[in-house]
Amino acid sequence: MGMLRNGLTNDQRYDWTPEWRYEWYKGTDSVMLQKSDRYTVSRDTLTIRAEFDLGQYWCRGQRDKRPNSSQSSSAVSLIVKDLPTSTLTMTPDSPVFSGETVNLTCVIESDHSDWRYEWYKGTNNSVMLQTTERYTVSKNTLIIRGATESDQDQYWCRGQRDGRPKLSQKSNRINLSVNVLMSFIHAGLTQGASTLTVTPDNTVFTGETVILTCVIKYYNNWRYEWFKENRYLQITDRYTVKGNTLTIIAATKSDAGQYWCRRSVSSNSVSLIVKGELNIIILLNFLYMRMRFNCETESISS
């Protein structure tokens, strides 16, 4: 919305009256602008309510007494810029699965960094989404925790700030779909959707390599998360992940505990027991073989 103000003055030496009527013109056209939804006039001010009314504007005054008109004003150029664009992205991609955490990120193409982000759900463009325990906002990201079927809908965002421009454009709309894994049970598939196995066995020895395999049925291309007790496992030189497999290299007693995996629902947990007797067993085997060799040697000699 733009506002143009007339600069006509009142000079009492010529017995002028201030009762000027203002005429408004655009470009080189001599046809006066007419009042409309786009153009409104309040005394000496023209208000423009339109997105693409760029151009040159000028004005002049008319009155009943002499002088009947003023000179034409200088022209002012109105330049109209588009509001900054907003782009909304979602991680992970839709459809997501019940229980997952969904991140919606709003990116505004602008040199300004003081944007406040507004979030909207559904087709009601005027009702802003309110934060709750499950809907939280961190900077330009809306976080939906523990997705459920009730979260299925359209989402979009826009920015607001105190200076100009005050608003960004509305973002693209993203459809969030939530698949509920409990439908496996309704379909008669009564076995668990996630299974965790351990190789070589639940009981291993220090120094051994342990492989935990997470099998999630009915769907492919899962992204796997690994946990020990209630702690999320970070990838290290000894803890590596490839596909649906967690490998523990050179097991130590500190690796013992309950392990489990998940994508959108939790698997069963397995107990990993790490015993430190591997070196003792090797030593006993060595002593046994040496004693047997000595006994066989003595028997041959006698």
Side-chain angles (χ1 to χ4, degrees), residues 166-228:
K166 293 183 177 296
L167 291 172
S168 73
Q169 296 183 43
K170 297 176 182 178
S171 75
N172 55 302
R173 295 175 183 268
I174 286 185
N175 287 302
L176 173 60
S177 298
V178 181
N179 286 353
V180 181
L181 288 176
M182 287 301 293
S183 60
F184 296 151
I185 295 176
H186 299 324
L189 303 173
T190 56
Q191 294 184 354
S194 305
T195 303
L196 180 60
T197 59
V198 58
T199 304
D201 202 350
N202 290 50
T203 301
V204 299
F205 296 95
T206 53
E208 285 190 309
T209 294
V210 184
I211 299 174
L212 293 95
T213 303
C214 189
V215 178
I216 302 181
K217 300 181 180 180
Y218 318 122
Y219 284 90
N220 297 320
N221 301 322
W222 293 96
R223 292 178 295 273
Y224 295 87
E225 295 178 338
W226 293 91
F227 298 83
K228 178 184 177 185

Coordinates of all heavy atoms in Angstrom, one line a residue, residues 166-228:
K166 N 7.2 -6.0 6.3 CA 6.6 -6.6 7.5 C 6.3 -8.0 7.4 O 6.2 -8.8 8.4 CB 5.4 -5.8 7.9 CG 5.7 -4.3 8.4 CD 4.5 -3.6 8.9 CE 4.8 -2.2 9.3 NZ 5.7 -2.2 10.5
L167 N 6.0 -8.5 6.2 CA 5.6 -9.9 6.0 C 6.4 -10.5 4.8 O 6.9 -9.8 4.0 CB 4.1 -9.9 5.6 CG 3.1 -9.6 6.7 CD1 1.7 -9.5 6.1 CD2 3.1 -10.6 7.8
S168 N 6.4 -11.8 4.9 CA 6.9 -12.5 3.7 C 5.7 -13.1 3.0 O 4.6 -13.0 3.4 CB 7.8 -13.7 4.1 OG 7.0 -14.7 4.7
Q169 N 6.0 -13.6 1.8 CA 4.9 -14.3 1.1 C 4.6 -15.6 1.8 O 5.4 -16.2 2.6 CB 5.3 -14.7 -0.3 CG 5.6 -13.5 -1.2 CD 5.9 -13.8 -2.6 OE1 5.3 -14.7 -3.2 NE2 6.9 -13.2 -3.2
K170 N 3.4 -16.1 1.6 CA 3.0 -17.4 2.1 C 3.9 -18.5 1.5 O 4.2 -18.4 0.3 CB 1.5 -17.7 1.9 CG 0.6 -16.8 2.6 CD -0.8 -17.1 2.3 CE -1.8 -16.1 2.9 NZ -3.2 -16.4 2.5
S171 N 4.3 -19.5 2.3 CA 5.1 -20.6 1.7 C 4.2 -21.6 0.9 O 3.0 -21.5 0.9 CB 5.7 -21.4 2.8 OG 4.8 -22.2 3.5
N172 N 4.9 -22.5 0.2 CA 4.2 -23.6 -0.4 C 3.5 -24.4 0.7 O 3.9 -24.4 1.9 CB 5.2 -24.5 -1.1 CG 6.3 -24.9 -0.2 OD1 7.1 -24.1 0.3 ND2 6.5 -26.2 -0.1
R173 N 2.5 -25.2 0.4 CA 1.8 -26.1 1.3 C 2.4 -27.5 1.2 O 2.7 -28.0 0.1 CB 0.3 -26.1 1.0 CG -0.3 -24.7 1.3 CD -1.8 -24.7 0.9 NE -2.4 -23.4 1.0 CZ -3.0 -23.0 2.2 NH1 -3.1 -23.8 3.2 NH2 -3.5 -21.8 2.2
I174 N 2.5 -28.1 2.4 CA 3.0 -29.5 2.5 C 1.9 -30.4 3.1 O 1.4 -30.0 4.2 CB 4.3 -29.6 3.3 CG1 5.5 -29.1 2.4 CG2 4.6 -31.0 3.7 CD1 6.8 -29.2 3.0
N175 N 1.6 -31.5 2.5 CA 0.7 -32.4 3.0 C 1.4 -33.5 3.9 O 2.3 -34.1 3.4 CB -0.1 -33.2 1.9 CG -1.1 -32.3 1.2 OD1 -2.0 -31.8 1.9 ND2 -0.9 -32.1 0.0
L176 N 1.0 -33.5 5.2 CA 1.6 -34.5 6.1 C 0.6 -35.7 6.2 O -0.5 -35.5 6.6 CB 1.8 -33.9 7.5 CG 2.3 -34.9 8.6 CD1 3.6 -35.5 8.2 CD2 2.4 -34.1 9.9
S177 N 1.1 -36.9 5.8 CA 0.3 -38.1 6.0 C 1.0 -39.0 7.0 O 2.3 -39.1 7.1 CB 0.3 -38.9 4.7 OG -0.4 -38.1 3.7
V178 N 0.2 -39.6 7.9 CA 0.8 -40.5 9.0 C 0.2 -41.9 8.8 O -1.0 -42.1 8.8 CB 0.4 -39.9 10.4 CG1 1.0 -40.8 11.5 CG2 0.9 -38.5 10.5
N179 N 1.1 -42.8 8.6 CA 0.8 -44.2 8.6 C 0.9 -44.8 10.0 O 1.9 -44.7 10.7 CB 1.7 -45.0 7.7 CG 1.4 -44.7 6.2 OD1 0.4 -44.0 5.9 ND2 2.3 -45.2 5.3
V180 N -0.1 -45.6 10.4 CA -0.2 -46.2 11.7 C 0.2 -47.6 11.6 O -0.5 -48.4 10.9 CB -1.6 -46.0 12.3 CG1 -1.6 -46.6 13.7 CG2 -2.0 -44.6 12.4
L181 N 1.3 -48.0 12.3 CA 1.8 -49.4 12.2 C 0.9 -50.4 12.9 O 1.0 -51.6 12.6 CB 3.2 -49.5 12.7 CG 4.3 -48.8 11.9 CD1 5.6 -48.8 12.6 CD2 4.4 -49.4 10.5
M182 N 0.0 -50.0 13.8 CA -0.9 -50.9 14.4 C -1.8 -51.6 13.4 O -2.4 -52.6 13.7 CB -1.7 -50.2 15.5 CG -0.9 -49.8 16.7 SD -0.1 -51.2 17.5 CE -1.6 -52.0 18.1
S183 N -1.9 -51.0 12.2 CA -2.8 -51.7 11.2 C -2.3 -53.1 10.9 O -3.0 -53.9 10.3 CB -2.8 -50.8 10.0 OG -1.5 -50.7 9.4
F184 N -1.0 -53.4 11.2 CA -0.5 -54.8 10.9 C -1.3 -55.8 11.7 O -1.6 -56.9 11.3 CB 1.0 -54.9 11.3 CG 1.9 -54.0 10.5 CD1 3.0 -53.5 11.0 CD2 1.5 -53.7 9.2 CE1 3.9 -52.7 10.2 CE2 2.3 -52.9 8.4 CZ 3.5 -52.4 8.9
I185 N -1.6 -55.4 13.0 CA -2.4 -56.3 13.8 C -3.8 -56.5 13.3 O -4.3 -57.6 13.2 CB -2.4 -55.8 15.3 CG1 -1.0 -55.8 15.8 CG2 -3.3 -56.6 16.1 CD1 -0.9 -55.2 17.2
H186 N -4.4 -55.4 12.8 CA -5.8 -55.5 12.3 C -5.8 -56.4 11.1 O -6.8 -57.0 10.7 CB -6.3 -54.1 12.0 CG -6.3 -53.2 13.2 ND1 -6.7 -53.7 14.4 CD2 -6.1 -51.9 13.3 CE1 -6.7 -52.7 15.3 NE2 -6.3 -51.6 14.6
A187 N -4.7 -56.4 10.3 CA -4.7 -57.2 9.1 C -4.4 -58.7 9.4 O -4.3 -59.5 8.5 CB -3.6 -56.7 8.2
G188 N -4.3 -59.0 10.7 CA -4.0 -60.4 11.1 C -2.6 -60.8 11.2 O -2.2 -62.0 11.4
L189 N -1.7 -59.8 11.1 CA -0.3 -60.1 11.2 C 0.1 -59.9 12.7 O 0.4 -58.8 13.1 CB 0.6 -59.2 10.3 CG 0.2 -59.3 8.8 CD1 0.9 -58.2 8.0 CD2 0.5 -60.6 8.3
T190 N 0.1 -61.0 13.4 CA 0.2 -60.8 14.9 C 1.7 -60.8 15.4 O 1.9 -60.4 16.5 CB -0.5 -62.0 15.6 OG1 0.1 -63.3 15.1 CG2 -1.9 -62.0 15.2
Q191 N 2.7 -61.1 14.5 CA 4.0 -61.0 15.0 C 4.5 -59.6 15.1 O 3.9 -58.7 14.4 CB 4.9 -61.8 14.1 CG 4.6 -63.3 14.1 CD 5.6 -64.1 13.2 OE1 6.4 -63.5 12.5 NE2 5.5 -65.4 13.2
G192 N 5.5 -59.4 15.9 CA 6.0 -58.0 16.1 C 6.6 -57.5 14.8 O 7.1 -58.2 13.9
A193 N 6.5 -56.1 14.6 CA 6.9 -55.5 13.4 C 8.4 -55.3 13.4 O 9.0 -55.1 12.3 CB 6.3 -54.1 13.3
S194 N 9.1 -55.3 14.6 CA 10.5 -55.2 14.6 C 11.2 -56.3 15.4 O 10.7 -56.7 16.5 CB 10.9 -53.8 15.3 OG 10.2 -52.8 14.6
T195 N 12.3 -56.8 14.9 CA 13.0 -57.9 15.6 C 14.5 -57.6 15.6 O 15.0 -57.2 14.6 CB 12.8 -59.3 15.0 OG1 11.4 -59.5 14.9 CG2 13.4 -60.4 15.7
L196 N 15.1 -57.8 16.8 CA 16.6 -57.5 16.9 C 17.3 -58.9 17.3 O 16.8 -59.6 18.2 CB 16.8 -56.5 18.0 CG 18.3 -56.1 18.3 CD1 18.9 -55.6 17.0 CD2 18.3 -55.1 19.4
T197 N 18.3 -59.2 16.5 CA 19.1 -60.4 16.8 C 20.5 -60.0 17.0 O 21.0 -58.9 16.6 CB 19.0 -61.4 15.6 OG1 19.5 -60.7 14.4 CG2 17.6 -61.8 15.4
V198 N 21.3 -60.9 17.7 CA 22.7 -60.6 17.9 C 23.6 -61.8 17.5 O 23.2 -63.0 17.7 CB 22.9 -60.3 19.4 CG1 22.5 -61.4 20.3 CG2 24.4 -59.9 19.7
T199 N 24.7 -61.5 16.9 CA 25.7 -62.5 16.5 C 27.1 -62.2 17.0 O 27.4 -61.0 17.0 CB 25.7 -62.6 14.9 OG1 24.4 -62.8 14.4 CG2 26.7 -63.7 14.4
P200 N 27.8 -63.1 17.6 CA 27.6 -64.6 17.5 C 26.6 -65.1 18.5 O 26.0 -66.1 18.2 CB 29.0 -65.1 17.8 CG 29.6 -64.1 18.7 CD 29.1 -62.8 18.2
D201 N 26.4 -64.5 19.6 CA 25.4 -64.9 20.6 C 25.2 -63.8 21.6 O 26.0 -62.8 21.6 CB 25.9 -66.2 21.3 CG 24.7 -67.0 21.9 OD1 23.6 -66.4 22.0 OD2 24.9 -68.1 22.3
N202 N 24.2 -64.0 22.5 CA 24.1 -62.9 23.5 C 25.2 -62.8 24.5 O 25.5 -61.8 25.1 CB 22.8 -63.2 24.3 CG 21.5 -63.0 23.5 OD1 21.4 -63.6 22.4 ND2 20.6 -62.3 24.0
T203 N 26.0 -63.9 24.6 CA 27.2 -64.0 25.5 C 28.4 -64.0 24.6 O 28.6 -64.9 23.8 CB 27.2 -65.2 26.4 OG1 26.0 -65.1 27.2 CG2 28.4 -65.2 27.3
V204 N 29.2 -62.9 24.7 CA 30.4 -62.9 23.9 C 31.6 -62.6 24.8 O 31.4 -62.5 26.0 CB 30.3 -61.7 22.8 CG1 29.2 -62.0 21.9 CG2 30.2 -60.4 23.5
F205 N 32.8 -62.6 24.2 CA 34.0 -62.5 25.0 C 34.7 -61.2 24.6 O 34.5 -60.7 23.5 CB 34.9 -63.7 24.8 CG 34.3 -65.0 25.3 CD1 33.7 -65.8 24.4 CD2 34.4 -65.3 26.6 CE1 33.1 -67.0 24.9 CE2 33.9 -66.5 27.1 CZ 33.2 -67.3 26.2
T206 N 35.5 -60.7 25.6 CA 36.2 -59.4 25.3 C 37.0 -59.6 24.1 O 37.7 -60.6 23.9 CB 37.1 -59.0 26.5 OG1 37.9 -60.1 26.9 CG2 36.2 -58.6 27.7
G207 N 37.0 -58.5 23.3 CA 37.8 -58.5 22.1 C 37.1 -59.0 20.8 O 37.5 -58.8 19.7
E208 N 35.9 -59.7 21.0 CA 35.2 -60.2 19.9 C 34.4 -59.0 19.2 O 34.1 -58.0 19.8 CB 34.2 -61.2 20.3 CG 34.8 -62.6 20.6 CD 33.8 -63.7 20.8 OE1 32.9 -63.5 21.6 OE2 33.9 -64.7 20.2
T209 N 34.1 -59.3 17.9 CA 33.2 -58.4 17.2 C 31.7 -58.8 17.3 O 31.5 -60.0 17.1 CB 33.6 -58.3 15.7 OG1 34.9 -57.7 15.6 CG2 32.6 -57.4 14.9
V210 N 30.8 -57.9 17.7 CA 29.4 -58.3 17.9 C 28.6 -57.6 16.8 O 28.8 -56.4 16.5 CB 29.0 -57.8 19.3 CG1 27.5 -58.3 19.5 CG2 29.9 -58.4 20.3
I211 N 27.7 -58.3 16.2 CA 26.8 -57.7 15.1 C 25.4 -57.9 15.6 O 24.9 -59.0 15.9 CB 27.0 -58.5 13.8 CG1 28.5 -58.3 13.3 CG2 26.0 -58.0 12.8 CD1 28.8 -59.1 12.1
L212 N 24.7 -56.7 15.7 CA 23.3 -56.7 16.0 C 22.5 -56.3 14.8 O 22.8 -55.3 14.1 CB 23.0 -55.7 17.1 CG 23.6 -56.0 18.5 CD1 24.9 -55.3 18.7 CD2 22.6 -55.6 19.6
T213 N 21.5 -57.1 14.4 CA 20.7 -56.9 13.2 C 19.3 -56.6 13.5 O 18.6 -57.3 14.3 CB 20.8 -58.1 12.3 OG1 22.2 -58.4 12.0 CG2 20.1 -57.9 11.0
C214 N 18.8 -55.4 13.0 CA 17.4 -55.0 13.2 C 16.6 -55.3 12.0 O 16.9 -54.8 10.9 CB 17.4 -53.5 13.5 SG 15.8 -52.8 14.1
V215 N 15.6 -56.1 12.2 CA 14.7 -56.5 11.0 C 13.3 -55.9 11.3 O 12.7 -56.3 12.3 CB 14.6 -58.0 10.9 CG1 13.7 -58.4 9.8 CG2 16.0 -58.6 10.7
I216 N 12.9 -55.0 10.4 CA 11.6 -54.4 10.5 C 10.8 -54.9 9.3 O 11.1 -54.6 8.2 CB 11.7 -52.9 10.5 CG1 12.5 -52.4 11.7 CG2 10.3 -52.3 10.6 CD1 12.7 -50.9 11.8
K217 N 9.7 -55.6 9.6 CA 8.9 -56.3 8.6 C 8.0 -55.3 7.8 O 7.7 -54.3 8.3 CB 8.1 -57.4 9.2 CG 9.0 -58.5 9.8 CD 8.1 -59.6 10.4 CE 9.0 -60.7 11.1 NZ 8.1 -61.7 11.7
Y218 N 7.6 -55.8 6.6 CA 6.6 -55.2 5.8 C 7.0 -53.9 5.1 O 6.3 -53.5 4.2 CB 5.3 -54.9 6.7 CG 5.0 -56.0 7.6 CD1 4.9 -55.7 9.0 CD2 4.7 -57.3 7.2 CE1 4.6 -56.7 9.9 CE2 4.4 -58.3 8.1 CZ 4.4 -58.0 9.4 OH 4.1 -59.0 10.3
Y219 N 8.1 -53.3 5.5 CA 8.5 -52.1 4.8 C 10.0 -52.2 4.5 O 10.8 -52.8 5.3 CB 8.2 -50.8 5.6 CG 6.8 -50.4 5.5 CD1 5.9 -50.9 6.5 CD2 6.3 -49.6 4.5 CE1 4.5 -50.5 6.4 CE2 5.0 -49.2 4.5 CZ 4.1 -49.7 5.4 OH 2.8 -49.3 5.4
N220 N 10.5 -51.5 3.4 CA 11.9 -51.5 3.1 C 12.4 -50.0 3.3 O 11.6 -49.1 3.5 CB 12.1 -51.9 1.7 CG 11.8 -53.4 1.4 OD1 12.0 -54.2 2.3 ND2 11.1 -53.7 0.3
N221 N 13.7 -49.9 3.2 CA 14.4 -48.6 3.2 C 14.1 -47.8 4.5 O 13.9 -46.6 4.5 CB 13.9 -47.7 2.0 CG 14.3 -48.4 0.7 OD1 15.3 -49.0 0.6 ND2 13.4 -48.3 -0.3
W222 N 14.2 -48.5 5.6 CA 14.0 -47.9 6.9 C 15.3 -47.1 7.2 O 16.4 -47.4 6.8 CB 13.8 -48.9 8.0 CG 12.5 -49.6 7.9 CD1 12.2 -50.8 7.4 CD2 11.2 -49.2 8.5 NE1 10.9 -51.2 7.5 CE2 10.3 -50.2 8.2 CE3 10.8 -48.0 9.1 CZ2 9.0 -50.1 8.5 CZ3 9.5 -47.9 9.5 CH2 8.6 -48.9 9.2
R223 N 15.1 -46.1 8.1 CA 16.3 -45.4 8.7 C 16.3 -45.9 10.2 O 15.3 -45.8 10.9 CB 16.1 -43.9 8.7 CG 16.2 -43.4 7.3 CD 16.0 -41.9 7.2 NE 14.6 -41.5 7.6 CZ 13.6 -41.5 6.8 NH1 13.8 -41.8 5.5 NH2 12.4 -41.1 7.2
Y224 N 17.4 -46.4 10.6 CA 17.5 -47.1 11.9 C 18.1 -46.3 13.0 O 19.1 -45.6 12.7 CB 18.3 -48.4 11.8 CG 17.6 -49.4 10.8 CD1 17.8 -49.4 9.5 CD2 16.7 -50.4 11.3 CE1 17.2 -50.3 8.6 CE2 16.1 -51.3 10.5 CZ 16.3 -51.2 9.1 OH 15.7 -52.1 8.3
E225 N 17.6 -46.4 14.2 CA 18.2 -45.7 15.3 C 18.5 -46.8 16.4 O 17.7 -47.8 16.5 CB 17.2 -44.7 16.0 CG 16.8 -43.5 15.1 CD 15.8 -42.6 15.7 OE1 15.1 -43.1 16.6 OE2 15.8 -41.4 15.3
W226 N 19.6 -46.6 17.0 CA 20.1 -47.7 17.9 C 20.2 -47.1 19.3 O 20.7 -46.0 19.5 CB 21.5 -48.2 17.5 CG 21.4 -48.9 16.2 CD1 21.5 -48.4 14.9 CD2 21.1 -50.3 16.0 NE1 21.3 -49.4 14.0 CE2 21.1 -50.6 14.7 CE3 20.9 -51.4 16.9 CZ2 20.9 -51.9 14.2 CZ3 20.6 -52.7 16.4 CH2 20.6 -52.9 15.1
F227 N 19.8 -47.9 20.3 CA 19.8 -47.5 21.7 C 20.5 -48.5 22.6 O 20.3 -49.7 22.3 CB 18.4 -47.2 22.2 CG 17.7 -46.1 21.4 CD1 17.1 -46.4 20.2 CD2 17.7 -44.8 21.9 CE1 16.4 -45.4 19.5 CE2 17.0 -43.8 21.2 CZ 16.4 -44.1 20.0
K228 N 21.1 -48.1 23.6 CA 21.6 -48.9 24.7 C 21.0 -48.4 26.0 O 21.1 -47.3 26.4 CB 23.1 -48.9 24.8 CG 23.7 -49.8 25.9 CD 25.2 -49.6 26.0 CE 25.7 -50.4 27.2 NZ 27.1 -50.2 27.4

